[in-house]
Amino acid sequence: MPSQYHETYSAWQRDPERFFAEAAKEIDWFTPWDKVFDPEAGVYGHWFVGATCNMCYNALDRHVDGGRADQTALIYDSPLTGTKETYTYRQILDEVVALAAVIRAQGVEKGDRVIIYMPMVPQAAFAMLACARLGAIHSVVFGGFAAKELATRIDDARPKLIISASCGIEPTRIIDYKPLLDQAIDMATAKPARCIILQRAQKPCALTEGRDLDYRDSVEDARSAGTTVECVPVEAPDPLYVLYTSGTTGKPKGVVHDTGGLMVMMKWTMWNEFGVNPGEVFFCSSDVGWIVGHHYIVYGPLLHGATSILYEGKPVGTPDAGAYWRVIAEHGAVGLFTAPTAFRAIKKEDPEGRLVGDYDLSKLRTLFLAGERADPETIKWAENKLRVPVVDHWWQTESGAPISHNPVGLGMLPVKYGSPGMPMPGYDVQVVDDSGHPVPRGTLGNVVIKLPLPPGALPTLWQADERCREAYLAEFPGFYKTADAGFIDEDGYIFIMSRTDDIINVAGHRLSTGSMEEVVAEHPNVAECAVIGIADSLKGQVPLALVVLNAGVERDTAEIEREVVAMVRDRIGAVAALKQVIAIKRLPKTRSGKILRSTMQKVADREEWTMPATIDDPVIMDEISEAMGQRGLGGSGMAKAG
Ligand code: COA
Ligand code: AMP
């Protein structure tokens, strides 16, 4: 059957409001909207203004009332703890009502913030849904972030309550969450009155008297008391959650997602883009702490009446490179959504893909890759081994849904390796030069999106409308700046090549080199520094710190380098993956003092590079090449263009 993509996209172009009003029929609203879109509201407009609704109602109650009560909604599969559990829609609703009663009893009301700092356990999803039920705004903080990062988020979100767990589990170690939580609360000025702590059998913790409640005990008490908690109606544009993501400074951006528009977009994508039917099983291997986990582990599948897998494990090592195949086979997943880095890890361990043959993957229809550029080699390997279409698609924490995709439900378009597909309805994607002028097809430039953004995309940053305007809307008036560089080819396929800011993508995790520089610069022996993202065959990119030491420092340089690594791990978290630090004599700069980060990155990655005309002292590039060469990076004698 020919793809319906073009006619669907045209239908949106002809009448965007009609298109999304039609999509919105899939959601149960308490009261209808007055305006599908109000361009005067908020930073650039609001969707479904006047409507009231509730995410939890749409994700749980309506399925329980509508015949899916006994269908499995969530499968928790944790090779790290040897646990497998299933929860039906009815069971989750019972748990979420009880948890919502506990949260409400702590004084949390509509609009209040609740931080969720949890590992990959089902209770993380229950906590999100319980907040949604109360109209409280959740902010999930990825468990791999250190105390300082958590403290920054606490101070920005000012939560009444934090929900956490005693520990997280990585293959090589148990991560004690409680000390991290306590340190973060100590550091923060906006201290929450209460914490609810899930005790995990692998390592329980001591609760802080007067502050901490035991998750299971309090939920059990609320359940025995039979407390009911109805879904609180919220306005469609009211925030459902704030998810912090790397900005260009140490202060992360609190990306807000609204309630009504987000539900409409999530529901629409489940079939049209991901080709999943209600009742089918979907396996998204992200973490609930990232946008992909929010939307395709929790909200998307549940809104759709599907079954979602919450996987606490890795693609390799838990126990082997067949881990994903086991999960797909055992639970009958029709789709797998992961990051290309996971496939590179699997391919490295099992290059022949032998383990694929050990499992029955007959139900699997599609593999979805996102989060970073999918290199054609990885895509071809996956296609070859799994014998299903491999669909690269592009999006951001801010968009909340794919901006470009190869829409499976609408009917796939021919695959072009290296392209994450065509723009999805809602997205008028254009490529412009630095002055905002459109560039010809095939020419690399700034990828921008014509305003307004569609339902589901960020309406603003948490209590920072001005920062939102400045970060995304000011540079190219009338457009949203994605901060991605890329091009559109003659057939309209989008290619995303790199970021235009200091964000790097490490194993599918979005990190700011600027915020790493802030930490490195705090080392007492460091005079100045630059952190750049360099190519890595497994993680896509990894950070490299170049440090200039203060004059007169006579300590062992290797020791200082180790201390810098430890500082970044301690302040940002292991997930920053900064393992390489090189002490150099001077940093290359332009005459106006701008550090030439991209030139250094090209040298490290053995790419062709030109000596910038504005460089202050060209000899510095020789020093850098030599220092990198001694560490097996780039190196002296590399071909220079120009
Ligand atoms: N809590 C605490 N620490 C964490 C963590 C968490 N939730 N997640 C990762 N870390 C730690 C890791 O243990 C590691 O620590 P180490 O330096 O002591 O080894 C460090 O952070 C870096 O983690 P990561 O970059 O994930 O590397 P890894 O070597 O542990 O694993 C992969 C590499 C490729 C297997 C892993 O990144 C992966 O599974 N990626 C795919 C994720 C995915 O599917 N994303 C979908 C999003 S679209
Ligand atoms: P995040 O906000 O963590 O989802 O990261 C968003 C960024 O990841 C984007 O701005 C891109 O730079 C990158 N990204 C996500 N998906 C893709 C993709 N399919 N191809 C290329 N880059 C991607």
Side-chain angles (χ1 to χ4, degrees):
M1 213 183 67
S3 173
Q4 292 170 305
Y5 164 73
H6 291 286
E7 58 186 90
T8 308
Y9 192 73
S10 302
W12 165 72
Q13 282 176 310
R14 274 195 307 278
D15 194 342
E17 291 187 19
R18 189 171 168 176
F19 183 90
F20 285 117
E22 193 58 34
K25 289 184 183 159
E26 293 286 315
I27 297 301
D28 284 359
W29 305 87
F30 295 144
T31 54
W33 53 84
D34 305 318
K35 283 187 181 169
V36 177
F37 182 70
D38 179 359
E40 302 305 322
V43 173
Y44 65 84
H46 279 162
W47 288 93
F48 306 110
V49 175
T52 57
C53 54
N54 184 285
M55 171 62 95
C56 184
Y57 180 81
N58 277 276
L60 298 178
D61 301 59
R62 72 162 171 169
H63 297 310
V64 171
D65 297 342
R68 295 192 184 278
D70 298 321
Q71 178 195 310
T72 301
L74 196 72
I75 299 168
Y76 168 51
D77 187 312
S78 168
L80 281 167
T81 59
T83 316
K84 283 176 208 165
E85 291 166 0
T86 59
Y87 297 86
T88 63
Y89 274 97
R90 191 199 306 275
Q91 286 169 325
I92 297 190
L93 180 59
D94 281 355
E95 171 93 8
V96 165
V97 167
L99 180 56
V102 177
I103 296 174
R104 191 176 60 182
Q106 309 318 312
V108 173
E109 292 171 9
K110 180 171 152 181
D112 288 337
R113 275 79 57 212
V114 174
I115 281 188
I116 300 171
Y117 181 59
M118 289 188 114
M120 282 292 283
V121 288
Q123 289 78 8
F126 303 157
M128 292 164 75
L129 290 157
C131 290
R133 191 167 192 87
L134 296 169
I137 301 166
H138 63 68
S139 185
V140 182
V141 177
F142 174 61
F145 282 127
K148 173 87 177 5
E149 290 289 315
L150 178 57
T152 312
R153 286 154 174 80
I154 294 174
D155 276 338
D156 197 64
R158 309 182 75 80
K160 266 199 179 154
L161 174 76
I162 299 185
I163 305 179
S164 189
S166 58
C167 69
I169 295 148
E170 284 294 288
T172 53
R173 63 192 187 283
I174 289 186
I175 318 277
D176 289 309
Y177 273 42
K178 188 60 183 358
L180 295 172
L181 176 69
D182 291 346
Q183 269 175 40
I185 294 176
D186 275 352
M187 278 184 233
T189 43
K191 299 187 194 306
R194 284 256 183 262
C195 297
I196 300 177
I197 310 286
L198 176 80
Q199 295 284 17
R200 300 192 76 188
Q202 291 71 24
K203 195 161 183 199
C205 63
L207 299 183
T208 304
E209 236 185 271
R211 191 196 70 188
D212 296 348
L213 297 176
D214 180 278
Y215 178 104
R216 282 202 186 81
D217 289 349
S218 21
V219 166
E220 216 28 69
D221 289 349
R223 208 195 307 270
S224 335
T227 322
T228 56
V229 181
E230 294 305 325
C231 291
V232 174
V234 301
E235 300 283 327
D238 281 348
L240 173 70
Y241 69 83
V242 179
L243 179 59
Y244 288 87
T245 189
S246 301
T248 46
T249 66
K251 191 171 175 341
K253 291 176 184 160
V255 173
V256 171
H257 282 284
D258 73 2
T259 309
L262 183 74
M263 287 198 281
V264 172
M265 196 53 136
M266 284 302 92
K267 176 77 175 93
W268 193 85
T269 61
M270 283 304 295
W271 165 252
N272 292 292
E273 298 186 19
F274 291 92
V276 176
N277 290 298
E280 289 187 325
V281 182
F282 194 64
F283 175 21
C284 171
S285 80
S286 182
D287 186 288
V288 284
W290 305 116
I291 189 81
V292 171
H294 274 56
H295 288 183
Y296 291 102
I297 297 175
V298 184
Y299 290 126
L302 296 184
L303 281 170
H304 199 49
T307 299
S308 182
I309 298 173
L310 190 139
Y311 174 71
E312 191 183 33
K314 303 273 172 178
V316 294
T318 55
D320 57 25
Y324 281 5
W325 323 143
R326 176 196 58 81
V327 173
I328 293 166
E330 221 169 279
H331 308 298
V334 298
L336 165 64
F337 180 169
T338 189
T341 192
F343 264 75
R344 289 195 295 268
I346 294 168
K347 185 170 143 214
K348 195 168 159 214
E349 294 279 304
D350 181 18
E352 305 302 321
R354 286 186 212 287
L355 292 171
V356 177
D358 292 352
Y359 299 93
D360 173 7
L361 303 186
S362 54
K363 288 221 170 123
L364 184 72
R365 294 197 295 263
T366 331
L367 167 65
F368 299 95
L369 297 177
E372 55 173 323
R373 190 174 142 71
D375 51 292
E377 280 319 299
T378 302
I379 296 184
K380 286 178 193 164
W381 185 87
E383 272 177 350
N384 192 281
K385 301 300 167 204
L386 295 180
R387 309 228 163 262
V388 296
V390 178
V391 177
D392 180 10
H393 58 300
W394 162 60
W395 52 306
Q396 309 185 312
T397 302
E398 291 85 346
S399 70
I403 304 169
S404 72
H405 212 311
N406 194 337
V408 173
L410 292 178
M412 278 189 70
L413 302 160
V415 170
K416 285 201 189 193
Y417 295 110
S419 164
M422 303 278 268
M424 287 296 102
Y427 288 103
D428 177 352
V429 181
Q430 303 187 16
V431 181
V432 297
D433 63 19
D434 289 348
S435 325
H437 299 116
V439 299
R441 289 272 163 121
T443 307
L444 193 70
N446 301 287
V447 184
V448 295
I449 296 163
K450 195 162 184 304
L451 291 173
L453 295 173
L458 88 165
T460 189
L461 293 175
W462 177 246
Q463 296 190 329
D465 286 355
E466 209 35 54
R467 188 177 180 201
C468 178
R469 285 191 194 96
E470 248 165 60
Y472 303 108
L473 311 183
E475 195 168 336
F476 303 106
F479 291 88
Y480 162 87
K481 176 176 109 172
T482 65
D484 277 321
F487 62 91
I488 301 179
D489 78 1
E490 64 286 359
D491 298 320
Y493 282 71
I494 294 171
F495 289 76
I496 299 297
M497 308 310 288
S498 60
R499 292 282 301 195
T500 58
D501 55 12
D502 70 354
I503 301 290
I504 57 171
N505 214 308
V506 180
H509 309 318
R510 172 169 161 179
L511 299 164
S512 154
T513 53
S515 66
M516 287 189 226
E517 284 178 7
E518 285 178 22
V519 176
V520 177
E522 280 178 34
H523 190 287
N525 298 138
V526 170
E528 56 178 349
C529 67
V531 176
I532 55 174
I534 61 170
D536 181 82
S537 61
L538 176 66
K539 298 192 178 192
Q541 280 183 304
V542 287
L544 165 70
L546 297 142
V547 297
V548 177
L549 301 183
N550 286 318
V553 171
E554 283 176 4
R555 297 181 53 213
D556 176 21
T557 315
E559 195 178 324
I560 297 174
E561 290 174 2
R562 278 196 297 277
E563 287 166 5
V564 168
V565 168
M567 275 174 76
V568 171
R569 198 176 165 91
D570 181 55
R571 306 275 177 88
I572 297 179
V575 72
L578 177 78
K579 304 255 156 114
Q580 299 183 80
V581 179
I582 307 181
I584 50 170
K585 285 189 224 150
R586 302 178 286 174
L587 281 168
K589 291 183 189 168
T590 62
R591 272 172 235 122
S592 58
K594 199 165 166 275
I595 298 174
L596 292 162
R597 292 183 177 79
S598 70
T599 311
M600 291 193 285
Q601 174 258 314
K602 288 193 172 82
V603 173
D605 288 347
R606 298 183 164 88
E607 285 174 20
E608 277 209 344
W609 60 278
T610 6
M611 186 66 77
T614 54
I615 192 164
D616 186 26
D617 181 355
V619 176
I620 303 179
M621 285 315 298
D622 292 333
E623 294 167 10
I624 297 282
S625 296
E626 198 183 322
M628 288 183 179
Q630 285 167 2
R631 304 290 178 92
L633 296 167
S636 44
M638 289 303 302
K640 290 183 219 176

